[in-house]
Amino acid sequence: DTEVTQTPKHLVMGMTNKKSLKCEQHMGHRAMYWYKQKAKKPPELMFVYSYEKLSINESVPSRFSPECPNSSLLNLHLHALQPEDSALYLCASSSLGTSDSNEQFFGPGTRLTVL
Amino acid sequence: AQKITQTQPGMFVQEKEAVTLDCTYDTSDQSYGLFWYKQPSSGEMIFLIYQGSYDEQNATEGRYSLNFQKARKSANLVISASQLGDSAMYFCAMREGPGSGSRLTFGEGTQLTVNP
């Protein structure tokens, strides 16, 4: 299985809502990533988990809260978002090692709209 | 700090012709990796090809090849025999260091349109 899945595909939420984005992979990868992508721009890294521990947080506002319950799952909890947080949220995973390309495999993304 | 530059916001190519998408990079690291990803309008980022900084031969994957010129710090993607399905946004990206679990830095992307 060489697939990263993300749910939901689309999400519309109000600024007072709490929602969660989910990501799952079964490739045995021990690194997982969250990216935010605005239209016509490259993805921006938000968080990196290595061996289920948060290793990189790119100064993301606390209204975004990541969680890695096990090696296959990655969640992004959303609370009190702003309209400017509307974007495509991409999850990715990769193997961990020093001798391989360790390319990141991306999921299809969740298109988030904040009203 | 590392930086990726893609100078072609948009490119057009006729079906069945070859096209080169430009990418230059800047890093002070000796060990790094260069990647190309394709993003169709559906949104998913699709990995195409990888070149390690110590690889002496240019990477190839089917119709994709990477023209790696280390001294010029360029890593151009060559797509041979373009197909209509190649129309998409293409991103060049770099990872510093030998391992993963670290950040990818992306260029601004090139929108490729393949005309019939």
Side-chain angles (χ1 to χ4, degrees):
Chain A
D1 186 356
T2 58
E3 189 180 46
V4 177
T5 59
Q6 289 187 245
T7 56
K9 284 188 168 30
H10 301 273
L11 178 62
V12 179
M13 60 186 291
M15 290 189 285
T16 58
N17 292 157
K18 285 185 180 181
K19 296 286 184 183
S20 296
L21 309 185
K22 297 187 184 301
C23 174
E24 188 169 6
Q25 57 90 12
H26 293 289
M27 294 178 277
H29 290 164
R30 301 305 296 275
M32 296 187 76
Y33 311 76
W34 279 116
Y35 290 86
K36 173 184 177 180
Q37 187 179 25
K38 302 285 271 186
K40 307 287 188 190
K41 303 297 282 184
E44 299 173 15
L45 183 66
M46 301 174 72
F47 303 103
V48 180
Y49 274 82
S50 299
Y51 297 109
E52 295 88 69
K53 294 199 184 308
L54 185 65
S55 57
I56 297 177
N57 177 343
E58 294 287 84
S59 302
V60 179
S62 59
R63 58 186 184 269
F64 295 91
S65 175
E67 178 197 19
C68 190
N70 60 54
S71 60
S72 300
L73 292 173
L74 184 67
N75 298 322
L76 186 63
H77 303 298
L78 314 172
H79 174 54
L81 294 193
Q82 303 296 311
E84 59 264 29
D85 296 322
S86 298
L88 179 68
Y89 288 84
L90 292 163
C91 173
S93 70
S94 73
S95 56
L96 281 169
T98 58
S99 60
D100 298 330
S101 61
N102 296 320
E103 66 268 27
Q104 293 182 20
F105 291 83
F106 284 80
T110 293
R111 290 193 185 274
L112 174 66
T113 302
V114 182
L115 301 177
Chain B
Q2 55 184 318
K3 186 178 178 182
I4 295 283
T5 302
Q6 294 181 252
T7 58
Q8 306 154 314
M11 288 284 285
F12 295 86
V13 66
Q14 288 297 121
E15 196 177 4
K16 299 179 185 172
E17 292 186 351
V19 63
T20 297
L21 306 184
D22 294 341
C23 173
T24 58
Y25 61 93
D26 188 20
T27 180
S28 54
D29 272 20
Q30 296 300 308
S31 177
Y32 51 88
L34 295 158
F35 302 80
W36 277 93
Y37 283 87
K38 170 185 178 182
Q39 189 175 39
S41 57
S42 58
E44 184 171 357
M45 298 280 284
I46 302 167
F47 166 72
L48 295 178
I49 196 166
Y50 166 80
Q51 181 84 40
S53 58
Y54 294 118
D55 295 340
E56 295 185 351
Q57 297 215 341
N58 287 342
T60 60
E61 289 286 350
R63 294 186 299 112
Y64 305 107
S65 59
L66 199 152
N67 184 358
F68 181 46
Q69 298 188 43
K70 194 170 182 177
R72 299 179 65 179
K73 293 190 174 180
S74 73
N76 298 338
L77 177 70
V78 180
I79 306 174
S80 63
S82 297
Q83 301 172 357
L84 295 178
D86 294 335
S87 294
M89 181 72 89
Y90 288 79
F91 290 101
C92 180
M94 179 169 65
R95 181 199 66 224
E96 281 186 335
S100 69
S102 58
R103 59 181 56 79
L104 280 181
T105 299
F106 287 88
E108 289 293 310
T110 296
Q111 180 70 47
L112 176 67
T113 302
V114 180
N115 294 316

